[in-house]
Amino acid sequence: MRLEHWNANTGFYRESDGSGYPDSMTRTYGRLIAAAGGLATPAPLRGPDDPWRLHVLAHPHGPRVLRARIVAPDEQPIAELAVAEGGGAGPRRAWRETVAAAHWLIDGCDPGDFRDHLPDAPWVIMALLPALAVHGEAVEWLGEVEQLIAWAFLESLQPMASA
């Protein structure tokens, strides 16, 4: 399986195949997502004592879509992301909400260019928020965490039954 990674601030796109991460890491992030979503409480992002938190956002997008926010120790959100297996009404809403969360864009980037783009393949889109400028240290690990969250969520989904 290939995963499309999108940046809502720039429209930048890349793909990954999930290799390079041991199963233990994706299982750990799968438990993190389940804990944050099931308990409706922020969960430590990179270990039990990490002051950075993952908030799984309540949403009407359906059980096969993840919306989450990464929050700094001072409780400022630095990024929002959405993950889904492909298209559909729920994934489309999650995609658009994430694009709308991207408050600042690079010159020449128009969110209208990709606001209505929705991959058919598994995807993750991340919006970097203004507080990231205050917490620049997160830039070093944010891409890896985004990838781990996406792969962990997608691997947690049961195959859909055929009609």
Side-chain angles (χ1 to χ4, degrees):
M1 173 171 48
R2 306 269 316 153
L3 174 64
E4 293 187 17
H5 299 259
W6 289 85
N7 181 306
N9 302 81
T10 65
F12 178 76
Y13 158 83
R14 68 179 177 85
E15 290 186 5
S16 73
D17 63 5
S19 64
Y21 295 112
D23 289 342
S24 61
M25 285 186 77
T26 54
R27 279 195 305 274
T28 297
Y29 273 84
R31 287 190 297 272
L32 169 73
I33 293 165
L39 301 175
T41 185
L45 187 60
R46 297 168 296 161
D49 298 323
D50 190 6
W52 291 83
R53 300 281 184 233
L54 177 71
H55 293 226
V56 171
L57 304 173
H59 58 82
H61 305 109
R64 301 181 80 79
V65 179
L66 172 69
R67 287 262 300 138
R69 181 178 294 137
I70 296 172
V71 179
D74 63 2
E75 300 193 18
Q76 292 188 72
I78 63 157
E80 287 192 13
L81 59 95
V83 184
E85 298 177 286
R92 183 175 323 303
R93 283 192 308 272
W95 177 278
R96 286 180 176 168
E97 288 174 11
T98 306
V99 171
H103 299 287
W104 41 277
L105 300 166
I106 62 168
D107 287 338
C109 181
D110 178 3
D113 293 344
F114 58 95
R115 177 181 17 251
D116 293 321
H117 171 80
L118 188 66
D120 291 326
W123 54 264
V124 58
I125 187 167
M126 184 162 61
L128 305 175
L129 304 177
L132 182 60
V134 176
H135 297 285
E137 70 275 17
V139 172
E140 295 176 22
W141 49 261
L142 194 55
E144 181 177 36
V145 166
E146 171 252 2
Q147 187 165 323
L148 282 164
I149 289 169
W151 279 110
F153 177 73
L154 292 169
E155 288 179 7
S156 75
L157 298 176
Q158 297 297 317
M160 293 181 72
S162 299

